[in-house]
Amino acid sequence: MLAIGAVVTASLTGCTPKPDGPEPAAQEFLAAFESNDIAAAAADTDKPDAAATALTETWTNLQAEALDAETTSVQVDGDTATVGYTYTWQLPKDRVWTYDGQLNMGRSEGEWVVRWTASDIHPKLGDTQTMSLRSTAAPRARVNERSGTDVLVPGVVHRIKFDAATANNNVVASATALSTLLTPFDASITAQSIVESATSVDGDYPVALLRDSDFQPISAALTEIPGVTASDESDLVSTDPTFAPDLVGQVKKAVIDEVDGKAGWSVVTTNRNGVDIDVLTDTPPQPAPSFSISLDRNIQVAAQRAVNARTEQAMTVVIQPSTGAILAVAQNPAADRDGPVASAGLYPPGSTFKIITAGAAISSGLATPGSTVPCPGRIEIGERSVPNYNEFALGDVTMSTAFTRSCNTSFAKLASEMSPDALTVAASQFGVGPDYDVVGLPTDSGSVPPAEELVQRTEDGFGQGKVVVSTFGMALAAATVAHGSTPVPNLLVGRDTAITGDHPPIEPAMVDGLRGMMRSVVTSGTAERIADQGEVYGKTGEAEVEGGSHSWFVGYRGDIAFATLVVRGGSSDNAVAVTREMFEQLPSGY
């Protein structure tokens, strides 16, 4: 839109009079230029051919979407004049560029025209130069762990594709050669799977996505296989494939749409050879801020090494009681085959659930740590006969002693005397039962349904009935005892965790009573193996399942709460051993 006066846009005809005065003539030129009417604008100059070329190149090379041109000032000196202009370019992706300059005007035989020079487009533009838009990509965001080291960084991955139609009529041979190269990176890739999938689609079938370090050694061999192509893609890549691979993959899915910053841009002058001469405007890129996750590298590495030592499925989750920060989620390759089981897999908890049962007994006034409870080798409750391990018997003992020695009969008896929903409520007070929407981590804390039937309530009391928990859920329970309230678990810093379901506050008496009992489990009970690893509080468990039993150990040390599960690992001592191995590998100060 022109700032001064009306604009008269005229075609170049012999009978159309030229505007009277330098400013109207300049306005006519600017109106045609901002409308991208190159012929009309060029006709308003004294060098139409040169002007037309320059004006066309400007619109094209700037990729301009619109132009607003205004006159600003006029100075007349006889048959010459200068008319100031302000150009405001609308460039792609909402970029706006504004600058000022001057048009040189001249009068010949009473008519004013623009005396053409490249400065009519920009004051710094030379007559043999043009302007071009440049884009500068913003660095992609990184993901780092709590001590600041990178976990995911911008990088390149290579997508391997196979087109059966271009395999030179020998699909099987190509698929066999391709699977031989790719199986070391993904054991699920076979010649048969490639053939079946590639022949069922038209065009390229995506076979694998390789890190650059994996791709480069086999790139030459891949290009020799008929039907195989590879393309490069920008991605976030792990700095260490062994560092919480499943969890890091989940984090990448959560942040991948937010890692691109705002690209920078500039307008440069270039000569006829395409060489950049000068920068006319420059807007630097705005990188997206890096993401931080709560994992602690030292704890994650120590936990991973500890679970990797087991041949059975093994997993450990570590949570910081004071903040809810998830410090480690480790599961070994055997567990990886079933997905994110450390955070979302549900298993019977065995005697670790006595933490919940003891808490419920304290809350209801049924018993305190010092109360006397029976611990026979076997007890009959309703139609259920509950034995202790190897039917050991202690007689009448305190609940603390029964907890320390893990008397099934004691806690079965206590649970049988509770209301149907007592364990459900107590579990939710320890964080087990609610749904936690932790950004970057699929979770399931567990399920403790109300038990109307006496037998179910009895079995639930020592973790064998219909109760199921995750390693994540039991780590939360341990963190609750350590902190005095259930912390809100979190993984991606700055992203809130939504909690659904009843989550009543825990009573101080429940926490106080449990702490002493959990300490005695380590000093004189079933977890003595870990007694040399500092002031550890814990509870062991062995949950009977078809084909064996699960090995559990749950507890805390300082501001580190943990839960360890060895699936069908037998004696709880095996889970204690895994946890001890983790603590033993931690640096001093943890």
Side-chain angles (χ1 to χ4, degrees), residues 85 99-100 118-119 121-127 129 131 269 277-280:
Y85 63 75
Y99 57 88
D100 299 320
S119 64
I121 297 175
H122 191 282
K124 292 185 178 180
L125 190 64
D127 284 337
Q129 299 173 351
M131 300 191 299
T269 57
I277 302 300
D278 193 10
V279 178
L280 301 179

Side-chain angles (χ1 to χ4, degrees), residues 62 89 91 95-99 122 124 131-134 136 264-269 278-284:
L62 288 181
W89 291 96
L91 305 180
R95 298 160 177 160
V96 178
W97 181 33
T98 300
Y99 57 88
H122 191 282
K124 292 185 178 180
M131 300 191 299
S132 294
L133 177 66
R134 297 279 191 267
T136 307
W265 61 279
S266 61
V267 176
V268 300
T269 57
D278 193 10
V279 178
L280 301 179
T281 186
D282 183 28
T283 300

Side-chain angles (χ1 to χ4, degrees), residues 324-473:
I326 298 170
L327 303 178
V329 180
Q331 54 184 53
N332 63 3
D336 286 341
R337 290 195 292 268
D338 289 341
V341 288
S343 60
L346 298 181
Y347 307 85
S351 291
T352 60
F353 197 73
K354 291 170 185 172
I355 293 173
I356 310 299
T357 306
I362 295 170
S363 176
S364 66
L366 188 60
T368 66
S371 297
T372 300
V373 296
C375 180
R378 180 179 291 271
I379 191 171
E380 307 293 330
I381 300 176
E383 298 178 356
R384 180 69 157 93
S385 179
V386 179
N388 285 332
Y389 179 73
N390 285 338
E391 296 200 21
F392 75 85
L394 300 179
D396 290 339
V397 295
T398 64
M399 185 172 71
S400 178
T401 299
F403 188 93
T404 300
R405 297 289 299 277
S406 204
C407 293
N408 292 341
T409 55
S410 302
F411 287 90
K413 181 70 165 60
L414 287 169
S416 72
E417 298 172 1
M418 295 179 185
S419 63
D421 67 345
L423 293 178
T424 306
V425 172
S428 65
Q429 289 176 288
F430 286 91
V432 176
D435 291 327
Y436 301 90
D437 186 8
V438 180
V439 179
L441 182 68
T443 64
D444 191 332
S445 64
S447 173
V448 184
E452 295 288 346
E453 297 181 359
L454 176 63
V455 170
Q456 180 191 333
R457 196 156 63 247
T458 297
E459 292 177 338
D460 287 350
F462 58 101
Q464 287 289 168
K466 294 186 177 180
V467 172
V468 287
V469 299
S470 66
T471 317
F472 163 78

Side-chain angles (χ1 to χ4, degrees), residues 225-289:
I225 302 174
V228 174
T229 57
S231 59
D232 300 346
E233 299 178 9
S234 296
D235 199 2
L236 286 180
V237 297
S238 173
T239 57
D240 179 359
T242 67
F243 184 80
D246 188 84
L247 183 145
V248 168
Q250 297 293 334
V251 169
K252 184 170 83 169
K253 291 178 184 178
V255 304
I256 193 64
D257 292 334
E258 303 174 45
V259 298
D260 291 319
K262 187 175 182 180
W265 61 279
S266 61
V267 176
V268 300
T269 57
T270 61
N271 63 21
R272 290 302 178 192
N273 295 321
V275 177
D276 291 358
I277 302 300
D278 193 10
V279 178
L280 301 179
T281 186
D282 183 28
T283 300
Q286 300 174 24

Side-chain angles (χ1 to χ4, degrees), residues 358-359 362-363 369 506-515:
I362 295 170
S363 176
I506 197 166
E507 299 164 17
M510 298 166 72
V511 173
D512 294 341
L514 280 165
R515 287 173 177 165

Side-chain angles (χ1 to χ4, degrees), residues 51-78:
T53 298
L55 295 172
T56 299
E57 288 179 344
T58 299
W59 273 91
T60 300
N61 293 345
L62 288 181
Q63 305 167 44
E65 297 176 347
L67 169 64
D68 182 72
E70 300 178 350
T71 57
T72 58
S73 61
V74 181
Q75 291 184 343
V76 181
D77 185 8

